[in-house]
Amino acid sequence: MMLFFNKRTLMLFFSLLLFRVLCVGQSEDAIVDNTPDQIVLSVTEDMATSVSVSWRTSVSVPISKIQFVKENSLFNIEDSAYTVVSKSELLDFKGMKTWHHSALIKELQPHTTYAYRVGNDHKWSEWINFKTINDKEEKLKFIYFGDVQSNIKNLWTRVAKQAVKSVPDAEIILYAGDIVNRGNNLNEWEEWFEASGNMHQAIPIMPAAGNHDHGDSEFGKYEISAYWNKQFKVPSNGADGLEGTSYYVDVKNVRFVVFNTEMFNTYEKDRDSQMEWLRKVLITNNQKWLIMLFHHPIYSTKKNRDNVELRSLVKPLIDEFKVDLVLQGHDHTYARGKEKIAMLDTRESHATYVVSVSGPKMSVVKEADWMDRSASFTQLFHGIEIDNNKLIFSSYKVNGDLMDSFTILKKGNRNTISY
């Protein structure tokens, strides 16, 4: 029996066949090319002598390596490189499979440039330079971003590019949460990696997790994004159950403390464990400067928002242990304050509080008494320089123009601020 198909039927048949092929391919592997991608450095417990590297490959590449060498500007750099097999984890989420690889390289020399590449004998990344921290000096520069969240590729990319132009010698990059809008959406993470360019291949990231960086697991549990702990390999010194989203890092004369305010707000057990952990981290601090990084602000800048429980429980510790700077996000505006904020004993606040936004999702500031400066509908990034007893905070617009700045001078147990 002969079958006859008209042109329209044939087109429909081949369209359905192509759709099936694409869907099957997508369900098995999130990426087709075997070249490693999503390469990112994360902060470590000792950034003078170690580096944390993570990257991604397709489901067909379960084993990957890192090669590293002290940078010597030779064309045959791989001949003298050390090779380490990575720790590899398969992520099978919503039918999308990828291998995520990581390596913590130790016993490096401080204040030294190294080159590294990741992959295997079939596909390698390019060689990438990074520099370990100089632990003998008290000068540190870093970049701070508020929420990225939405329209990342179109409108946040320019912020990222300008930030590394304006602060070319930044040694760390901080995020105050909501890096993406939907934490379990792979497309948004890929958009962020593309938008950030090669920035995090050379400058370690210090991320705090926002509410949008969380989501429901495939089993219906609300928790950090399935991608977060695969791609950000930060120190595992956080509160029980929140490793990867609560942690601390000592860099030169600064202790950075990263706190998960979303889990603080969501689960009582995570609130209690973080509060116990936070007190221990603050009471054991021996660094000259103390900086906290988290998502929900102690003092909100947006209408109908007020994090009362966070302020009632965490601010007393900020006061007691004299935190110098509190960096936050969530409210999609810019504001900072210090001089009008009282400590528990009614003295002037020791800490300066900052709320900021780097992405294009922005709101109107609800003016409040605690604010010394504010701005609405302005994408910003911030360059922060610490030099011994002085901290200079600079707020830049997308075009690199300076919008705001202040200086904190540390004098004994008191901080004074100038503009």
Side-chain angles (χ1 to χ4, degrees), residues 255 282-283 285 287-292 314-326 343 345 347-353 410-415:
R255 171 160 290 188
L282 296 179
I283 203 170
N285 175 49
Q287 306 302 312
K288 181 177 293 185
W289 292 90
L290 186 54
I291 297 175
M292 289 190 68
V314 177
K315 185 179 182 294
L317 294 183
I318 292 174
D319 290 346
E320 179 181 352
F321 295 102
K322 291 183 169 55
V323 175
D324 298 293
L325 185 63
V326 181
M343 294 176 66
D345 59 8
R347 289 181 301 165
E348 178 188 295
S349 175
H350 185 86
T352 300
Y353 295 82
K410 183 177 287 293
K411 298 180 179 179
N413 289 326
R414 285 182 60 84
N415 281 351

Side-chain angles (χ1 to χ4, degrees), residues 117-220:
R117 67 175 181 175
V118 298
N120 55 39
D121 296 334
H122 302 290
K123 284 278 189 176
W124 288 101
S125 71
E126 71 275 28
W127 284 98
I128 305 161
N129 285 354
F130 74 92
K131 193 171 186 178
T132 52
I133 292 288
N134 182 356
D135 59 350
K136 301 301 182 183
E137 68 174 12
E138 293 189 318
K139 191 171 184 178
L140 175 67
K141 285 188 178 181
F142 57 96
I143 294 169
Y144 150 55
F145 291 119
D147 300 33
V148 179
Q149 193 166 339
S150 62
N151 212 347
I152 302 171
K153 184 177 179 180
N154 288 333
L155 292 175
W156 183 76
T157 306
R158 57 191 186 144
V159 180
K161 290 179 177 178
Q162 186 60 51
V164 292
K165 288 181 181 178
S166 297
V167 194
D169 47 355
E171 296 169 275
I172 319 171
I173 297 179
L174 282 59
Y175 288 82
D178 283 3
I179 296 177
V180 295
N181 189 48
R182 293 168 293 178
N184 285 326
N185 187 299
L186 177 60
N187 291 334
E188 293 184 12
W189 283 112
E190 291 183 331
E191 189 176 336
W192 175 75
F193 271 103
E194 183 178 354
S196 59
N198 298 329
M199 183 165 61
H200 295 300
Q201 294 182 2
I203 309 174
I205 185 175
M206 183 185 294
N211 52 304
H212 286 273
D213 300 314
H214 292 74
D216 290 333
S217 71
E218 291 190 297
F219 304 101

